[in-house]
Amino acid sequence: MAAQQPKVSLTGIKPTGEPHLGNYIGAIRPSLELTSTYESIYFIADYHALTSIRDRAELATYTRSVAATWITLGLDPAKTVFYRQSDVPEIFELSWVLSCVTAKGLMNRAHAYKAARDRNAEAGVTDLDAGINMGLFNYPVLMAVDILIMNTDVVPVGLDQSQHVEYAADIAGTFNHLYGGSFALKIPTGIFPSGASAKTLPGTDGRKMSKSYRNTIPLFAPEKQLRKSIRGIVSDSTPVESPKNPDTSAAFALYENFASPEAVKDMRVRLEQGGTGWGDLKNALFESVNDWLSPLRERYADLVAPGSELDAILATGAEQARDRAQPVLTGVRRAIGIATG
């Protein structure tokens, strides 16, 4: 009996800012853990970033930074397919085809579009679509194509991103209903985080760590910058000698992800008993994060530099991705009645 092929897992990374600790805990680490179970594919979603980034140099910098980050943190390009979305033109042809079978009403219900309209409503803007571009509106279709064109089985996402996988499955189902027969798009499912990865990692102001809140702690930050960012994490004014609740502390939530279980347990006891201040916790957090980052900074700097091996890695990944995408697009073209060679 032939060995069963492993299922395909796909992860997309949008380059809209410098990667930060929240990206690592919430997305990078859990996604990399899937490589032992699935045939894993990773891509830099640079065309998705065009909905908000207008500076060409900024987009190029973020794209290279994100790619270098994933390799530095453990992605092995010899064992995975790793590519830029923009290097696979088949994605954009399929995006048009699937746009033509996707109901506008479905797009009206997309979270990002609804959130943009809600912000306008809260600001008292009469035209609720003001400032919303068609890239944002059509975003879910392009994301569905990213998934479907790679014959993806599973997509690891946070619970707040589950709609994207649901939309991909819905759009694929519609296409299969209309054109199915000898060819059908694979219906994907989501994989959702559990344990530590399911928790929202707080930023320096206590809210979810997010570039939009400007409360992130950058990955690979130099020691001086890292220390300053960690020292700036919000904390209450409880005196050093008084007992404290670690579960209300953003610094402790971060510490749980970077210190050993023994160190975390010890810090919890010390805070609850009193005599240990928030400053002591932040110092311990800095040491834990810095110890982890120290051997990685040089590797990242080498990769992100112009002319590094990153260029060859992405070029190889583009070839591999196109080899996977072309049969899917060929099947779609034949299904809809457009002749192929």
Side-chain angles (χ1 to χ4, degrees), residues 142-213:
L142 182 56
M143 184 168 287
V145 172
D146 290 325
I147 296 168
L148 300 173
I149 203 163
M150 292 296 156
N151 266 328
T152 304
D153 293 290
V154 298
V155 184
V157 290
L159 292 173
D160 60 338
Q161 297 292 312
S162 62
Q163 188 187 65
H164 294 306
V165 186
E166 294 166 2
Y167 271 31
D170 187 287
I171 292 168
T174 300
F175 177 88
N176 293 345
H177 174 73
L178 292 171
Y179 296 107
S182 59
F183 177 83
L185 293 168
K186 184 180 288 186
I187 306 295
T189 57
I191 295 180
F192 304 103
S194 59
S197 296
K199 298 180 180 179
T200 299
L201 197 73
T204 55
D205 61 359
R207 294 181 294 175
K208 175 183 177 181
M209 190 176 291
S210 170
K211 292 182 284 286
S212 62
Y213 293 149

Side-chain angles (χ1 to χ4, degrees), residues 37 78 84 117 120-121 128 138 174-175 185 188 192 203 206 213 238 264 267 276 285 292 295-296 298 303 326 337-338:
T37 308
R84 279 180 300 239
R117 286 173 58 89
N120 281 335
L128 297 183
N138 291 330
T174 300
F175 177 88
L185 293 168
F192 304 103
Y213 293 149
T238 305
V264 171
M267 181 60 72
T276 295
L285 172 60
W292 171 67
L296 301 176
E298 183 176 355
L303 282 168
Q326 285 166 355
I338 293 179

Side-chain angles (χ1 to χ4, degrees), residues 13-30:
I13 313 100
K14 188 177 176 181
T16 53
E18 294 293 341
H20 54 76
L21 295 186
N23 296 143
Y24 172 67
I25 297 300
I28 299 175
R29 186 170 68 181

Side-chain angles (χ1 to χ4, degrees), residues 82-135:
F82 186 50
Y83 60 97
R84 279 180 300 239
Q85 180 189 41
S86 57
D87 287 333
V88 186
E90 290 81 3
I91 290 171
F92 307 101
E93 180 176 345
L94 183 57
S95 183
W96 173 252
V97 174
L98 295 190
S99 291
C100 293
V101 302
T102 300
K104 178 180 178 291
L106 189 67
M107 298 297 98
N108 289 342
R109 296 189 292 275
H111 293 328
Y113 175 59
K114 289 175 64 178
R117 286 173 58 89
D118 289 344
R119 286 192 294 270
N120 281 335
E122 291 168 4
V125 178
T126 304
D127 179 5
L128 297 183
D129 285 325
I132 299 174
N133 58 62
M134 287 304 297

